[in-house]
């Protein structure tokens, strides 16, 4: 597949270049357009929270950022490089699968459902990608995995299988697994939605610590309190478009748009 870039915006160069740039992206599933010409920029070290009703395109957008879904129009850039494509003149050509996999390794993703390998221990789940994809030595990957398990409060559970862990513990292992690849950006797709209420806090605590350490994060969430506390900016999406974006305090406390006010009135 090739795509013309003649109408695309040029990504900024140098220190001002964003960690992620989404430029006029469109995505359809069959006859249903779920993302409608959406543009966003995420700075290095920024925490961007995306809120909005179900079906607004939030999760689809995240999956496009690491090319799990192919966009139909526009461009997504990671640290200045086109995601899933290489540029030749004014045309984008889809990269080989091996190149896409290497690029995808720079973007960590934490899903609603934890997607841990059930036949592997917590430690084995974390070292699988560094050893298999990045060809790290098992000793090096294991040392980092143990440090990450300690970081998420699970140093004593490295030998446990997913079925022996609570939902909150499984999600913390999933976060450690994403961090093991030392990603430039972490994507979170409703990371607490599958958890019992009493387990939500332990996952949000880990995410807060990552934000404090300057990890670039894009978080799709219904946890408005978390967004208010941790996000640098909040984006409200509806019907595949950005309705409102701004500082977390501005969007959540004094939204400009009526649609944003209606949504927040129902969830707060």
């Amino acid at each position: 597949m090739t795509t013309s870039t003649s109408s695309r915006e040029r990504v900024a160069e140098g220190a001002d270049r964003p960690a992620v740039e989404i430029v006029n992206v469109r995505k359809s599933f069959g006859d249903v357009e779920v993302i409608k010409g959406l543009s966003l920029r995420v700075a290095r070290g920024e925490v961007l929270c995306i809120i909005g009703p179900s079906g607004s395109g939030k999760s689809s957008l995240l999956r496009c950022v690491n090319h799990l879904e192919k966009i139909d129009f526009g461009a997504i850039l990671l640290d200045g490089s086109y995601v899933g494509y290489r540029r030749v003149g004014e045309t984008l050509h889809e990269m080989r699968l091996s190149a896409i996999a290497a690029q995808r390794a720079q973007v960590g993703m934490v899903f609603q459902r934890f997607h841990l390998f059930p036949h592997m221990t917590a430690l084995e789940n974390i070292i699988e990608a560094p050893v298999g994809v990045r060809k790290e030595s098992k000793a090096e990957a294991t040392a980092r995995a143990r440090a990450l398990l300690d970081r998420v409060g699970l140093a004593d559970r490295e030998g446990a299988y997913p079925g022996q862990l609570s939902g909150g513990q499984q999600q913390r292992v999933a976060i450690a697994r994403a961090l093991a690849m030392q990603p430039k950006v972490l994507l979170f797709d409703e990371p607490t939605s599958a958890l019992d209420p009493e387990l939500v806090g332990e996952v949000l605590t880990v995410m807060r610590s990552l934000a404090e350490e300057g990890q670039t994060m894009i978080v799709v969430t219904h946890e408005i309190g978390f967004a208010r506390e941790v996000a640098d900016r909040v984006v409200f999406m509806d019907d595949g478009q950005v309705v409102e974006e701004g500082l977390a305090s501005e969007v959540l406390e004094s939204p400009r748009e009526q649609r944003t006010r209606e949504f927040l009135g129902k969830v707060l």
Side-chain angles (χ1 to χ4, degrees), residues 102-142:
Q103 188 179 61
R104 191 175 287 147
Q106 301 178 62
V107 182
M109 187 155 185
V110 180
F111 299 88
Q112 297 178 36
R113 300 289 175 176
F114 324 117
H115 294 307
L116 299 177
F117 295 113
H119 62 290
M120 293 183 179
T121 65
L123 185 70
E124 290 168 341
N125 265 280
I126 295 169
I127 69 173
E128 176 70 12
V131 172
V133 177
R134 288 199 165 169
K135 309 303 179 186
E136 292 182 12
S137 70
K138 188 173 181 180
E140 180 183 0
T142 297

Side-chain angles (χ1 to χ4, degrees), residues 131-225:
V131 172
V133 177
R134 288 199 165 169
K135 309 303 179 186
E136 292 182 12
S137 70
K138 188 173 181 180
E140 180 183 0
T142 297
R144 184 184 302 117
R146 285 182 170 142
L148 288 169
L149 282 170
D150 182 60
R151 184 177 180 181
V152 300
L154 293 172
D156 61 339
R157 303 294 279 159
E158 69 171 58
Y161 290 90
Q164 298 171 317
L165 299 173
S166 70
Q169 290 173 328
Q170 289 185 63
Q171 193 63 297
R172 283 186 281 159
V173 171
I175 293 172
R177 179 181 59 183
L179 289 169
M181 295 296 281
Q182 299 174 292
K184 294 180 178 179
V185 179
L186 270 180
L187 310 178
F188 291 87
D189 186 10
E190 296 285 5
T192 61
S193 66
L195 301 179
D196 292 333
E198 64 268 25
L199 302 178
V200 169
E202 62 190 49
V203 173
L204 295 183
T205 296
V206 172
M207 294 174 66
R208 286 188 189 95
S209 70
L210 293 174
E212 290 168 359
E213 294 166 11
Q215 173 70 56
T216 306
M217 298 161 58
I218 305 176
V219 185
V220 168
T221 184
H222 283 120
E223 299 286 344
I224 303 300

Side-chain angles (χ1 to χ4, degrees), residues 1-6 8 86-93:
M1 182 179 72
T2 60
T3 307
S4 172
T5 63
S6 58
R8 298 181 192 278
R86 58 184 178 86
R87 182 176 170 183
V88 180
E90 292 298 317
T91 302
L92 296 182
H93 299 263

Side-chain angles (χ1 to χ4, degrees), residues 244 247-257 260-261 264:
E244 185 166 350
L247 297 176
S249 58
E250 294 174 350
V251 174
L252 298 177
E253 303 297 337
S254 303
R256 300 183 306 273
E257 302 295 330
T260 313
R261 292 195 290 271
L264 291 173

